[in-house]
Amino acid sequence: MKMSTRPLGYVLLPVLLAGTIGCTHEATFVRETDHGGLVSYPFQSDAEVLASSGRRDAIQRMTEKCPKGSRIVREGEIPKVSKAADRAWRGQMGMDRLWGIEFVCGQS
């Protein structure tokens, strides 16, 4: 049986990178309180709002925050930049839009 002459770092590096990439979140907390918060995720088209991986990630973050359940208070698009700034840049501020979900922990 022939042993590999590659250093261990060459073998472990791809494994570590794959693990790090798998831990990234599409959804982020805009505001977090003891009893809920506001989580947001990027989307590009209206069709993506309910069926995107960002929404699944947002729901997962809410579940982690509130393991006994949560209730959505409101949700909708969050402006990334002011309309005046977007007009000044002639729409070049980017295509991604942000969707926000405000929630509270508990089922009541």
Side-chain angles (χ1 to χ4, degrees):
M1 179 192 232
K2 184 178 179 181
M3 295 292 289
S4 174
T5 58
R6 287 186 181 176
L8 187 58
Y10 285 112
V11 176
L12 290 179
L13 185 61
V15 172
L16 291 174
L17 285 176
T20 303
I21 291 169
C23 293
T24 60
H25 291 285
E26 285 188 50
T28 58
F29 276 99
V30 175
R31 183 179 64 248
E32 189 172 4
T33 67
D34 291 340
H35 305 288
L38 172 63
V39 67
S40 70
Y41 59 92
F43 72 102
Q44 291 183 353
S45 70
D46 293 339
E48 288 182 331
V49 170
L50 297 177
S52 70
S53 60
R55 184 173 186 88
R56 287 187 295 277
D57 190 37
I59 299 297
Q60 177 64 36
R61 306 284 312 262
M62 292 165 52
T63 302
E64 290 168 3
K65 174 77 177 171
C66 308
K68 293 183 179 180
S70 63
R71 178 174 51 89
I72 295 175
V73 176
R74 64 182 169 165
E75 63 180 298
E77 188 169 358
I78 300 173
K80 286 178 69 173
V81 297
S82 72
K83 291 181 181 180
D86 194 41
R87 275 194 302 275
W89 282 86
R90 294 186 177 96
Q92 298 176 29
M93 297 302 283
M95 296 303 292
D96 279 349
R97 297 155 62 190
L98 284 178
W99 190 262
I101 303 174
E102 185 176 2
F103 67 98
V104 293
C105 296
Q107 297 289 337
S108 56

